[in-house]
């Protein structure tokens, strides 16, 4: 537990980088995809299964955990790692995003946000200081500064006002953060789609100095083209030698495009949530297992995939258990999707390490363009 | 796949026996508890996890599988073992019980039962002949004769009429059954709580000759005392040298009492269903994980249990994920419950083998009487 937090870049290929983040609970190979463990569980997966997909780090949601079972309770029980049985690194978000998207009766002031729990309606309070305290209690390896995720679309004045509030909160987050070896605090860039605001935000964060920098306020409805437009310049506004984390992203092609633009870390509910709604990700694009075309198909989702779902089960079986509402459908499809995402990240790391990112991206696109295997 | 079906009794202790059933897909150590894999999955478990609990054989439900995805489809896909990824023995019920408990618009004639699916209302037909054909298509190692499970309570005339219909159906089942090496057909004794009817049923079945004999029509609301009353004599009415299977049983103390009365095989949804509703079985009785007393309890369900749930997770965690409606709650509690049941069966087998069944039963009762550990 005495490891220093560090980020080492092993190789670059264009704007893309591959390397290793060291934390108190072990290493994170970058580019990294972090499965989301909202309420102390990566839904429908055991922690050892998550690890077996190749995931180094998972994400915990401060908002969900503070409401239930409560951060103090988790601290008394030995922290989030022990509570949920995950021994690797954990990154926690600040709670700000979910306060905006899930809670009710919000009142935002300079000081912080007062809100009602979506579970039982009770009043709660989040501020830079309380968010830091909660994330410390959880035992998070990577703590996120408390920010306001600027809603989309936002005019420049709104985006500016929101970003500047987040920058003041970033400073308060830094001051409230308890330094511990191997534990990091990341700042979050805002500024919506405005180049100048992104630059101002990056300068403000760099002046405060963080262990890593997230790009926030994207993947909120602006579309891939607009997102890539920001990613064409935003990573370059942030320190080269620190990890860059694109929050809440995304689809496989979002990730590939973002990695090629210099992003090192990702999180998204997509592979887990899709697993529970019958959508599987494969190298040849998405497969909707609910579709009747799979009913008699003895083939796996992807014949070249080594995950337990593809090694043991036919599309016909997955179709059946999904239609029958069986829990194993969520278990197998989630496992496959997380495996697919981690294979994608491993492929990206290898390609960057070998200077073959362009070729990797071309093959990625070609396979997806070919589409799913023909029905039998 | 050319193993002959056989049953070898290795040791007895009073009326209890321990031994081995050989099937085309491997051995079943008896007394055996078979987890229920209703619709091609033991709910919330991967097959390898079911196997790791020590289960040798699982049960598949003809009624559920014939309706969805359909027995012909499963046959085309290589049979139920391959379809669901279970390489060990599978016993299938005849469909009769669920037709009575789940389907609508039933019309029972001498020939069989016409009914409407509870899923989509379509009309279906089950008879001794069609049940044998469906179970053959599924690839069942142990096929159950098609019977009518006499409802409870039943007066002697009703029970007699129902039992005699089942005996005529048993004969037709035997004639329709396709002999294959390592595959068995079991007859089912009926007769409700009436000694003479049970005797008549046993004689009828023995005259037809089956590879094993089930005791049906129990665990249908008569209570443990009445059930044990029947089990005091019913096993002795059946051939000594064949496996005896008590269908749909039961709670841990039901099983212990039935084993001591000469039963070799059991199946029940209790450990799996309870796992999904927050009830855990332990050596010290049942634990309701929903209860607020577990909210801050860092201890596992059972400190002496070696299952993944008890090795990795606190009661506080299980309480949290259950209350949060997380799938992992069902996964972990089901795993624990199946592990507990299999440990119980292993304990019974060892005790019978060592001539220590009475001592085992006394300790079983003492631990349960002590009740759950004290709250912290």
């Amino acid at each position: 537990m005495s490891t220093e937090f560090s980020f080492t870049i092993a190789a670059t290929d264009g704007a893309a980088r591959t390397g290793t983040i060291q934390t108190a609970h072990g290493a994170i190979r970058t580019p990294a995809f972090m499965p989301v463990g909202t309420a102390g569980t990566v839904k429908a997966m055991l922690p050892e299964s998550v690890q077996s997909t190749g995931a180094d780090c998972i994400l915990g949601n401060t908002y969900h955990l503070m409401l239930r079972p409560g951060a103090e309770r988790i601290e008394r029980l030995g922290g989030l790692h022990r509570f949920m049985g995950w021994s690797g690194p954990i990154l926690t978000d600040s709670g700000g995003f979910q306060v905006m998207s899930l809670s009710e009766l919000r009142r935002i002031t300079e000081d912080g946000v007062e809100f009602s729990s979506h579970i039982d309606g009770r009043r709660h309070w989040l501020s830079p200081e309380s968010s830091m305290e909660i994330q410390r209690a959880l035992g998070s390896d990577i703590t996120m500064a408390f920010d306001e995720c600027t809603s989309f679309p936002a005019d420049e004045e709104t985006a500016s006002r929101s970003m500047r509030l987040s920058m003041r909160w970033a400073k308060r987050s830094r001051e409230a953060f308890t330094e511990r070896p191997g534990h990091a605090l990341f700042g979050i860039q805002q500024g919506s789609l405005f180049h100048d605001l992104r630059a101002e935000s990056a300068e403000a964060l760099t002046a405060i100095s963080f262990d890593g920098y997230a790009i926030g306020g994207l993947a909120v409805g602006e579309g891939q083209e607009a997102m890539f437009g920001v990613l064409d310049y935003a990573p370059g506004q942030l320190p080269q030698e620190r990890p860059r984390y694109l929050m809440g992203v995304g689809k496989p092609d979002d990730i590939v495009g973002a990695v090629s633009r210099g992003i090192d870390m990702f999180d998204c509910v997509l592979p887990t949530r899709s697993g529970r709604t019958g959508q599987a990700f494969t190298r040849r694009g998405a497969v909707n297992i609910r579709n009747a075309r799979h009913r008699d198909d003895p083939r796996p989702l992807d014949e070249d995939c080594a995950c337990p779902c593809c090694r043991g089960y036919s599309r016909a079986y997955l179709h059946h258990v999904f239609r029958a509402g069986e829990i194993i459908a969520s278990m197998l499809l989630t496992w496959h999707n997380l495996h697919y995402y981690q294979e994608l990240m491993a492929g990206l790391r290898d390609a960057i390490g070998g200077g073959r990112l362009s070729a990797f991206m071309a093959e990625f696109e070609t396979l997806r363009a070919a589409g799913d295997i023909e029905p039998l």
Side-chain angles (χ1 to χ4, degrees), chain A:
Chain A
M1 299 281 283
S2 63
T3 319
E4 287 301 312
F5 183 86
S6 67
F7 178 49
T8 313
I9 298 173
T12 60
D13 186 349
R17 313 100 71 80
T18 180
T20 307
I21 298 169
Q22 279 295 343
T23 78
H25 286 86
I28 307 167
R29 296 162 289 178
T30 67
F33 179 81
M34 303 178 285
V36 177
T38 309
T41 163
V42 176
K43 289 183 194 297
M45 295 285 285
L46 296 180
E48 54 268 38
S49 308
V50 175
Q51 193 177 28
S52 80
T53 66
D56 294 329
C57 181
I58 61 172
L59 181 139
N61 283 123
T62 286
Y63 173 83
H64 288 283
L65 293 168
M66 72 181 279
L67 298 185
R68 184 172 57 193
E72 288 178 19
R73 173 164 292 125
I74 291 178
E75 185 176 23
R76 281 198 304 274
L77 290 161
L80 184 57
H81 293 85
R82 181 162 172 191
F83 183 62
M84 69 181 290
W86 174 262
S87 58
I90 296 177
L91 179 149
T92 47
D93 63 10
S94 70
F97 182 77
Q98 262 112 13
V99 166
M100 300 304 162
S101 59
L102 292 178
S103 75
E104 288 159 7
L105 300 170
R106 290 180 299 278
R107 201 172 57 87
I108 307 181
T109 63
E110 180 67 28
D111 221 25
V113 188
E114 194 187 358
F115 63 94
S116 290
S117 160
H118 73 286
I119 299 171
D120 58 12
R122 276 196 230 180
R123 299 298 282 171
H124 289 269
W125 169 252
L126 263 179
S127 65
E129 292 76 19
S130 71
S131 176
M132 293 308 102
E133 170 54 20
I134 291 168
Q135 294 181 73
R136 186 206 58 73
L138 295 174
S140 174
D141 296 276
I142 301 178
T143 293
M144 299 304 297
F146 187 68
D147 70 335
E148 182 189 51
C149 180
T150 309
S151 55
F152 182 84
D155 60 38
E156 188 158 0
E157 195 196 320
T158 308
S160 168
R161 204 169 43 231
S162 169
M163 179 272 286
R164 287 173 187 161
L165 175 63
S166 285
M167 295 308 101
R168 294 192 296 277
W169 285 357
K171 190 158 196 306
R172 283 168 53 193
S173 296
R174 174 87 269 177
E175 285 159 4
F177 178 72
T178 310
E179 297 282 352
R180 289 151 290 157
H183 292 72
L185 177 64
F186 279 26
I188 305 174
Q189 184 197 44
Q190 294 289 349
S192 192
L193 306 186
F194 303 100
H195 186 289
D196 291 352
L197 296 183
R198 289 274 169 194
E200 180 185 329
S201 180
E203 278 171 41
L205 295 175
T206 311
I208 301 167
S209 182
F210 289 93
D211 304 301
Y213 296 85
I215 298 177
L218 294 180
V220 288
E222 75 282 4
Q224 192 188 67
E225 193 181 335
M227 182 173 78
F228 282 175
V230 172
L231 294 180
D232 282 337
Y233 61 78
Q237 297 171 330
L238 298 167
Q240 158 75 19
E241 71 282 6
R242 298 291 181 192
R244 298 169 187 150
Y245 164 29
L246 181 58
M247 303 182 78
V249 172
K251 296 197 295 296
D253 52 320
D254 292 335
I255 290 176
V256 170
V259 164
S260 75
R261 289 169 172 84
I263 300 295
D264 307 302
M265 301 165 71
F266 302 87
D267 79 282
C268 192
V269 295
L270 200 61
T272 41
R273 181 172 293 165
S274 298
R276 300 194 305 284
T277 58
Q279 189 181 49
F281 294 95
T282 77
R283 295 169 305 123
R284 302 174 63 128
V287 172
N288 183 345
I289 205 65
R290 287 167 293 188
N291 196 305
R293 65 162 278 194
H294 305 299
R295 202 164 47 190
D296 286 293
D297 197 329
R299 299 170 298 180
L301 285 171
D302 181 345
E303 303 209 339
D304 294 328
C305 177
C307 86
C309 176
C310 289
R311 278 188 285 106
Y313 303 91
S314 63
R315 291 176 176 221
Y317 182 76
L318 297 171
H319 174 83
H320 163 63
V321 287
F322 186 85
R323 294 283 287 254
E326 292 288 350
I327 289 174
I328 199 172
S330 294
M331 294 164 66
L332 291 173
L333 290 174
T334 300
W335 198 326
H336 169 81
N337 282 346
L338 287 180
H339 184 95
Y340 169 79
Y341 265 67
Q342 295 302 336
E343 286 254 297
L344 177 62
M345 303 317 292
L348 285 163
R349 290 192 296 264
D350 279 0
I352 298 165
R356 295 177 283 94
L357 183 58
S358 295
F360 180 90
M361 289 173 71
E363 198 198 339
F364 172 81
E365 280 308 330
T366 302
L367 266 168
R368 287 163 60 85
D372 193 19
I373 50 176
E374 289 296 312
L376 288 177

